[in-house]
Amino acid sequence: MKRTLIASSILMMLATSAHAADDLQNIRSEIQQMKASYEARIQALEARLAQTEAATKQANTKAEQADSKAEHASQTAAVAALPAPSNENAFNPAISLILSGTASHSSLSPSTYKIGGFIPSGGEVAPNPRGFSLGESELAISANIDPDFRGNFMLAMAPDNTVAVENAYLQTLGLGHGLTASAGRFYSGIGYLNNVHAHAWDFTDSPLVYKAFLGNQFGDDGVQLTWLAPTESLLVELGAEIGSGRSFPATTRDKNGSVAGALYAHVGGDYDESNSWRAGLSYLGAGPQNRSYDDTDVNGVATTNSFSGKSQTWIGDFVWKWAPNGNTTVRNFKLQGEYMHRNETGDLTCTGGACSGVPGAYQSAQSGWYLQGVYQFMPHWRVGLRHDRLNSGSVDLGTGLTAADLPILAAYNPKRNTVMFDYSPSEFSRFRVQYARDESRPTEADNQFALQYIMSLGAHGAHTF
């Protein structure tokens, strides 16, 4: 029995061992299959990864090429936007020439013209010469120098064959924040008409108040800074100037720094589609020294007078323009007026004749204004009316001066009425007929008739509002 149990046990052990060997073989087989499967998947993933990386690299290359092309195009456009080099062919500034002439008839000689009650301002304030005469011709050149600066130059050729530099200044283009700076010789921005050139006036001559207070127009050598407010519906402009004081009421002086200065403010805008306006307030201060002028005393003996002291002028201006729906080509109307008030204090010296030649105190407060309207009633045709009036105000003479020494300063209130009629075949040509009854001289009224032509050749910049 015992031998039987032992044999059975041995047989069972042999059977179990054989079964375990089969399981190990199966496991090893499954592991090999899994390894083969994973290796195949890994190889497939690696292949996809390689393809993706290649596609990404190709896309990046194309993007870099596109960026390069865009940058090249941008650089090309920037170069194209720059001003052309200043070679002979590329240099092309705007050049214009203004031609004008008059045929005048007046009852009093322009050579004896003086405005009663006021110190003579000098300059070309007398009426047009009798008979035929050449008006002032103007040669203007202007262009952008580079993206930052612009240059303007104007040469005025007077009928007496004298030539003068009227304007020569540079102007900034890109200061930003509404700022513009100018340096050189320019007409001041004070008032409304002061910086408008003569060929753009609505009458053949300037208002009396400009003749008496500014010697026609105040221009200076110096610097100007203007600021235009960033507003949409309302124009707000502020300006400041300092200069050498080269024209009346200032004088140049042998000193460092400025002799004259100006401040002004302009506001304006559109009232509606057909109406627009502008108003302004200006101040001009100067310190003239030995501002001389020739005169005669009460006996008609020639004298030479000079003033040194302070001159302060305030100017108020207003302009209203009307054009149906903003179209100025058929009908339009402009109403324009300015008021000036001037105070002067200092010393006045009179030499020659019965004058003592001893400086005496001089103080004056004087004013004047004009109002004019110009109506274009049909294309090319306009009619205008202007009224001038001056007030000699108060003039105080100190010790050493008598009224007989300075008869021109006798109290008198000049006035003038002017009517004009003009025809403009185009924007480049104009013919005008004008009549004025001028009572600037205390002795007698002057009846003045004038025929005028104004021709513009070449490119000419637009004028201000």
Side-chain angles (χ1 to χ4, degrees):
M1 185 66 179
K2 186 176 180 180
R3 293 179 178 178
T4 301
L5 289 172
I6 293 171
S8 297
S9 297
I10 292 170
L11 290 173
M12 289 180 64
M13 291 177 60
L14 291 173
T16 301
S17 175
H19 182 73
D22 292 338
D23 288 341
L24 288 174
Q25 183 61 36
N26 291 334
I27 291 172
R28 289 191 183 98
S29 177
E30 289 180 6
I31 290 173
Q32 290 298 327
Q33 291 177 359
M34 290 179 67
K35 282 184 178 179
S37 176
Y38 281 124
E39 286 178 357
R41 293 180 62 184
I42 289 171
Q43 289 177 358
L45 290 173
E46 287 177 344
R48 289 176 58 188
L49 177 62
Q51 291 176 356
T52 303
E53 288 178 342
T56 303
K57 185 177 181 180
Q58 186 177 6
N60 290 337
T61 301
K62 290 182 178 179
E64 290 175 358
Q65 291 175 349
D67 290 343
S68 178
K69 290 181 179 179
E71 184 178 0
H72 178 71
S74 177
Q75 292 175 351
T76 302
V79 171
L82 291 173
S86 299
N87 56 48
E88 186 176 359
N89 294 328
F91 188 64
N92 186 27
I95 300 176
S96 65
L97 178 66
I98 303 297
L99 301 176
S100 67
T102 58
S104 301
H105 172 90
S106 58
S107 57
L108 300 179
S109 174
S111 63
T112 62
Y113 181 78
K114 290 180 181 176
I115 300 177
F118 291 80
I119 288 179
S121 61
E124 300 170 356
V125 300
N128 296 315
R130 286 169 159 171
F132 295 99
S133 66
L134 187 66
E136 183 177 271
S137 303
E138 299 174 344
L139 176 64
I141 303 174
S142 62
N144 287 353
I145 301 168
D146 58 26
D148 299 318
F149 298 101
R150 179 176 177 78
N152 295 275
F153 176 80
M154 179 169 285
L155 202 63
M157 292 153 279
D160 60 358
N161 295 326
T162 58
V163 179
V165 177
E166 199 165 70
N167 290 155
Y169 63 92
L170 61 87
Q171 192 172 53
T172 62
L173 298 176
L175 282 184
H177 306 288
L179 293 171
T180 300
S182 303
R185 175 171 296 181
F186 50 83
Y187 281 135
S188 171
I190 58 174
Y192 174 74
L193 198 60
N194 188 73
N195 62 0
V196 179
H197 290 276
H199 67 269
W201 293 348
D202 292 318
F203 294 82
T204 62
D205 49 8
S206 64
L208 282 183
V209 70
Y210 269 85
K211 294 174 182 277
F213 285 73
L214 301 176
N216 260 351
Q217 288 174 286
F218 179 73
D220 210 352
D221 295 351
V223 294
Q224 178 191 66
L225 182 66
T226 61
W227 177 70
L228 195 62
T231 54
E232 295 183 358
S233 58
L234 182 68
L235 165 73
V236 178
E237 182 191 42
L238 305 178
E241 304 166 358
I242 54 174
S244 64
R246 71 175 186 86
S247 65
F248 188 89
T251 60
T252 56
R253 296 172 59 176
D254 184 16
K255 69 182 288 287
N256 296 317
S258 63
V259 175
L263 298 171
Y264 54 88
H266 297 137
V267 296
D270 294 332
Y271 179 77
D272 55 27
E273 291 184 353
S274 303
N275 296 275
S276 55
W277 61 279
R278 201 197 83 167
L281 180 64
S282 307
Y283 169 78
L284 172 63
Q289 187 175 47
N290 297 324
R291 191 182 69 197
S292 62
Y293 66 95
D294 296 328
D295 199 5
T296 57
D297 64 12
V298 71
N299 298 316
V301 180
T303 61
T304 299
N305 308 322
S306 66
F307 169 78
S308 298
K310 293 182 180 179
S311 179
Q312 298 174 306
T313 303
W314 289 90
I315 305 172
D317 65 88
F318 182 78
V319 181
W320 185 282
K321 291 184 177 181
W322 169 82
N325 298 318
N327 180 10
T328 61
T329 58
V330 180
R331 291 183 299 145
N332 64 75
F333 176 73
K334 179 170 69 172
L335 181 66
Q336 167 187 331
E338 294 184 73
Y339 172 84
M340 297 188 190
H341 180 90
R342 182 177 67 197
N343 291 321
E344 290 196 325
T345 57
D347 295 326
L348 187 62
T349 304
C350 175
T351 57
C355 295
S356 63
V358 178
Y362 171 81
Q363 184 173 350
S364 68
Q366 301 176 309
S367 61
W369 57 271
Y370 76 91
L371 183 66
Q372 69 180 50
V374 176
Y375 178 51
Q376 178 175 302
F377 53 92
M378 60 184 297
H380 310 297
W381 294 91
R382 304 191 312 165
V383 62
L385 179 64
R386 179 178 64 190
H387 179 73
D388 298 272
R389 187 173 288 268
L390 299 178
N391 186 344
S392 61
S394 60
V395 176
D396 296 326
L397 302 176
T399 304
L401 297 173
T402 66
D405 298 332
L406 307 161
I408 190 65
L409 296 180
Y412 180 65
N413 298 328
K415 63 181 180 180
R416 182 180 63 172
N417 289 306
T418 308
V419 60
M420 76 85 187
F421 188 77
D422 67 26
Y423 169 67
S424 301
S426 71
E427 61 178 309
F428 303 106
S429 59
R430 173 165 290 167
F431 299 93
R432 175 180 291 142
V433 58
Q434 176 174 307
Y435 165 73
R437 181 174 175 79
D438 189 351
E439 298 180 43
S440 297
R441 288 172 270 201
T443 54
E444 188 178 357
D446 186 16
N447 294 302
Q448 305 162 352
F449 297 87
L451 297 173
Q452 182 186 36
Y453 68 83
I454 302 173
M455 301 290 161
S456 176
L457 293 74
H460 191 81
H463 295 281
T464 56
F465 175 82

